[in-house]
Amino acid sequence: MIKAILIFNNHGKPRLSKFYEHYSEDTEQQIIRETFHLVSKRDENVCNFLEGGMLIGGSENKLIYRHYATLYFVFCVDSSESELGILGLIQVFVETLDKCFENVCELDLIFHVDKVHNILAEMVMGGMVLETNMNEIITQVDAQNKMEKSEAGIAGAPARAVSAVKNMNLPEMPRNINIGDISIKVPNLPSFK
Amino acid sequence: MPAPIRLRELIRTIRTARTQAEEREMIQKECAAIRSSFREEDNTYRCRNVAKLLYMHMLGYPAHFGQLECLKLIASQKFTDKRIGYLGAMLLLDERQDVHLLMTNCIKNDLNHSTQYVQGLALCTLGCMGSSEMCRDLAGEVEKLLKTSNSYLRKKAALCAVHVIRKVPELMEMFLPATKNLLSEKNHGVLHTSVVLLTEMCERSPDMLLHFRKLVPQLVRILKNLIMSGYSPEHDVSGISDPFLQVRILRLLRILGRSDDDSSEAMNDILAQVATNTETSKNVGNAILYETVLTIMDIKSESGLRVLAINILGRFLLNNDKNIRYVALTSLLKTVQTDHNAVQRHRSTIVDCLKDLDVSIKRRAMELSFALVNGNNIRGMMKELLYFLDSCDPEFKADCASGVFLAAEKYAPSKRWHIDTIMRVLTTAGSYVRDDSVPNLIQLITNSVEMHAYTVQRLYKALLDDISQQPLVQVSSWCIGEYGDLLVSGQCEEEEPIQVTEDEVLDVLEGLLVSNLSTPVTRGYSLTAIMKLSTRFSSVNRIKKVVSIYGSSIDVELQQRAVEYNALFKKYDHMRPALLERMPIMEKTASNGPTEIMQTNGETEPSVPDTKHLPLVTQPANQANDLLDLLGGNDVMPVIQTTLPTKPASAGGELLDLLGDLSLTGGPTVVPAPAPSVPVSQPPFLLDGLSSQPLFNDTSAAIPPMTAYSKNGLKIEFTFERANPNPNIAVITIHATNTTEADMTEFVFQAAVPKTFQLQLLSPSSNIVPALNQGSVTQVIRVLNPQKQQLRMRVKLTYTHKGSPVQDLAEVNNFPPQSWQ
């Protein structure tokens, strides 16, 4: 089971933190700091596996990490996961981000944290690997984003109101209203724009 | 109230902050704005505000006031709201807050929503942070979704089911019917999560395990299709078809095949196929191979397959990629107990890994090296390990030193080598050794009589070089105190004797007392050493002066010692020589590791009997070796550590005490051995013996029991069985019965065996053998007989009969051949 997924940059600033086990908020921040200390000390050409720090379960859990440019991707797992498999998973995750954001860089992760969470939610659920096929993940994420766009997303609420009024199509007004033997002729009004 | 700023704006603003304080200020201002916006119950901007709150939460600022807002978002109709709301719930809420239960109804409705993505969101949240109450309420819905044909929902439902099972294990049976056709899915995502679900169920319940064993053929087929099918673009990762699924299936096969012959049979072919066909150039290929190796080692595979697995691991060790080597070392550590010989073949590669730069690899290589040490390779391995000890990081030194001591104790080829090794460790890593190594070393030195002069000379030289490592200093000062006379007399056969005067020795010891580097314990050692030298050296006055100075030391321990020694000089001078004479050989109590039946670690030749270790005539009160005399000097092989006083202290401890009572003149065969000619087993006793087997099943043909001793109304029978896990161990149960009219109380049974065997005596059922065969005393003996030599035993019986103590010795030679073959 995956206990936590952390992304932070070379200075230890968190870019994404997702915990699949319950920790208090303070502990979560401490874990991020501790993990950063452990991982940043590592040389470039040593293996990518580490014992977990004390806060996150000590020697029973392992930290499996990869360093891409300015970001560290760290997965904290227990002994039931295959270490080499998780390395492969990190690779798939980064490639998916790359496809979704087109040449992803740290700024993309900074400004679109919620989108990264959504992509991650399609890959890992409850600490277990859900889907590893990159195309499948991207398809699902795109479909959900489209749904969001149709509701104009988080930022669009007021803008939608204006465009709705602009595009309102009033139904055709009835030309002849017959009530009994009174016949009222309705004048032809120009269409409301 | 102006519209709340967008998330992007907030992020941009925060990034312009130049100090932590500035950032905190901005965030506090924004939090205040968000809070007032929440109070206004503004629906349009709620999702934006919660998104900002989640960002601030990630940076580490408190965000708990947003929890209820998340719930409101979840309840909204818009997909955007729901998405952010569920994300917020996963990040901010957990089962410790009571608020989370309010979500249950929302999730229930969303699980039945018309849009699959909403259902997906609900499943995701439930699967991440659902508490046991929520899981109980919603398990039915999850189970329904597990049967749907929509693969997107099915895979999510499978993982959600895993979470439910983890939280509420009793609900496992509920998901059983839905798993029936999970494996016939085509969609790999569903297959993957189904395998995870099956794995979880099998791990939790042995009944499920039995039930799912019948799926093994199906799993094998799926795996075969994955390997044999050609290139499939949608599942391809670096040229291998869906490696993640392959790894998962291999893991499930491992769990299903463990300790089951039929399933293991069915898997043998596919495992061999995967092992040979997988490409090893990419990481995913190696991941599959690694999983295959682990599976082969765990199930009941045939030996050819196991050798293949270990060879794969050996190839991994030579790989350039550090990760692969790490993984190989970890797996080898797990398998070294069971397939020792196969791992030995790769010993040189493992020892090379000690020189690697990577800390994790070094640690594993060190542990593995210690596991591989045996009597044959001890010299070479120890050289490498000592070199490693010299150059490794401090965090390793303690473990390495303990390991070296243990290995040296078990497999030392000679006394001198042992002492040299320990000295090397003390001089290189002295400050990191464990505390109990000092007394152990002292005991070792005492016991090797002929090495005293050599030892004290080497220690003295080491002391001249360096007095900072406390354990070394302590051992040296103790030795100098004991054997100082040998030092100044300059007699040493092993090395060039050095010329040392008494004054020089006393200078060194006094130097220790005043040095800042010495701890109080060390000072105590050196003061005592100086005192002991008063009987061995002639310059008593100098010693008297030193001792009296420390009578007023601030350190209480030191002061007490000095005052008492002073008194020794003054009032009790007549006792001084007797008190300060040479220490006798100490009995060996529990050593560092297990001393019972030990694995032979792959040795085939018997270890060379260390004849120097026979301390025959010179040592009085030689307790540990009394049993040696018991067995007679005619026997070439002395006995070492047979009656193990560690486990049950009662039987073993009394052995040593009682043997001390024997008046031994130290010569061979003191006690005449009455060898009673006992008849071999009688058929009527066969059934008795077999029916009272306490421990193990007798798998092979019953070994006939025998009467070992019958005299004066006391009869002792041996019944045999083989211990199941190790056929070299014979388990003998003794039954002692008493045909006289009086009880035999304080009955103690002791045994000794020749050197090539090892013996373990468990506690007896009682100490009283009731009269007239009314009952019996039983005791279990375990004998390890690795070389299948003929079993012989000397027994000693003591009991009190009619008020008078009785002691008897006997030799038992008529063991039936099946007991030791």
Side-chain angles (χ1 to χ4, degrees), chain A residues 1-2 7 9 13-29 32 42-43 45-51 62 65-66 78-92 95 106-107 109-115 117-137 139-160, chain B residues 3 6-8 11-12 15 20 23 44-45 47-49 51 55 57-64 67 77-81 83-84 87 90-96 115-118 120-121 123-124 127-129 151-152 155-157 159-160 162-163 166-167 187-190 192-193 196 200 203 233-235 237 242 244-245 247-248 251 283-284 286-287 290-291 316 321-324 326-327 330 357-361 364:
Chain A
M1 174 178 164
I2 301 176
I7 305 178
N9 71 357
K13 267 219 114 88
R15 295 300 173 211
L16 180 108
S17 68
K18 181 86 190 197
F19 289 87
Y20 294 99
E21 250 193 1
H22 301 126
Y23 299 104
S24 73
E25 284 182 3
D26 292 327
T27 320
E28 286 184 1
Q29 288 300 313
I32 296 178
R42 302 278 279 175
D43 209 7
N45 51 1
V46 298
C47 70
N48 299 105
F49 313 125
L50 264 182
E51 308 263 295
K62 281 200 266 271
Y65 72 96
R66 269 228 140 109
D78 68 7
S79 49
S80 69
E81 295 285 342
S82 157
E83 295 100 337
L84 296 176
I86 294 289
L87 270 183
L89 187 66
I90 299 182
Q91 184 72 21
V92 170
E95 281 179 17
E106 192 181 341
L107 279 179
L109 296 191
I110 297 174
F111 282 100
H112 298 284
V113 181
D114 50 335
K115 291 214 179 48
H117 266 290
N118 294 333
I119 296 174
L120 191 58
E122 291 299 323
M123 284 184 72
V124 177
M125 187 177 121
M128 289 161 289
V129 179
L130 173 64
E131 178 66 62
T132 53
N133 184 339
M134 202 165 64
N135 295 327
E136 177 71 24
I137 300 171
T139 320
Q140 303 298 342
V141 170
D142 281 342
Q144 296 189 47
N145 286 343
K146 220 184 290 187
M147 269 190 76
E148 256 198 41
K149 240 190 211 98
S150 69
E151 297 174 357
I154 313 172
R160 189 170 180 257
Chain B
R6 300 180 178 189
L7 175 61
R8 223 162 295 179
I11 297 179
R12 221 171 273 144
R15 276 170 66 77
Q20 185 75 353
E23 182 182 296
T44 28
Y45 295 116
C47 57
R48 194 191 282 188
N49 285 327
Y55 180 75
H57 170 81
M58 181 182 74
L59 290 180
Y61 297 95
H64 43 272
Q67 286 166 2
Q77 288 308 313
K78 287 167 50 176
F79 180 70
T80 321
D81 284 353
R83 214 180 191 189
I84 290 284
L87 180 62
M90 280 195 274
L91 290 177
L92 296 178
L93 285 174
D94 59 52
E95 40 193 48
R96 280 169 295 178
T115 320
Q116 64 169 0
Y117 295 113
V118 175
L121 280 178
L123 279 171
C124 187
C128 280
M129 47 77 65
S151 49
Y152 174 72
K155 68 184 184 196
K156 291 205 171 190
L159 283 190
C160 199
V162 174
H163 180 87
R166 281 195 185 150
K167 284 282 177 194
N187 182 310
H188 278 216
V190 180
H192 185 114
T193 54
V196 173
E200 183 73 22
E203 274 176 348
E234 45 178 59
H235 299 129
V237 179
D242 208 343
F244 297 99
L245 184 58
V247 166
R248 279 278 166 214
R251 185 174 286 248
N283 178 55
V284 284
N286 286 323
Y290 174 50
E291 203 68 31
F316 274 2
D321 189 346
K322 297 286 159 92
N323 298 329
I324 311 280
Y326 171 100
V327 145
T330 315
L357 295 165
D358 185 337
V359 157
S360 321
I361 291 188
R364 272 158 183 76

Side-chain angles (χ1 to χ4, degrees), chain B residues 218-238:
Chain B
Q218 209 174 352
L219 287 167
V220 169
R221 236 191 350 259
I222 298 177
L223 197 50
K224 206 177 211 148
N225 283 340
L226 280 175
I227 310 175
M228 299 314 250
S229 70
Y231 175 72
S232 122
E234 45 178 59
H235 299 129
D236 182 83
V237 179
S238 314

Side-chain angles (χ1 to χ4, degrees), chain B residues 556-631:
Chain B
V556 177
E557 168 79 22
L558 220 50
Q559 188 188 95
Q560 180 177 4
R561 285 184 193 224
V563 165
E564 288 179 3
Y565 294 155
N566 245 338
L568 208 52
F569 273 123
K570 301 202 174 70
K571 275 209 294 185
Y572 299 100
D573 207 36
H574 53 280
M575 287 175 59
R576 196 162 46 87
L579 270 176
L580 300 176
E581 72 173 14
R582 273 264 211 285
M583 289 282 237
I585 290 201
M586 304 175 213
E587 64 196 48
K588 190 124 181 152
T589 51
S591 59
N592 299 348
T595 51
E596 304 102 40
I597 315 277
M598 296 195 287
Q599 301 297 331
T600 48
N601 243 1
E603 294 179 308
T604 46
E605 315 97 32
S607 39
V608 177
D610 198 357
T611 49
K612 282 196 209 162
H613 192 47
L614 285 177
L616 291 169
V617 190
T618 51
Q619 299 302 324
N622 191 346
Q623 291 151 326
N625 292 284
D626 284 341
L627 217 46
L628 145 78
D629 293 322
L630 191 68
L631 213 44

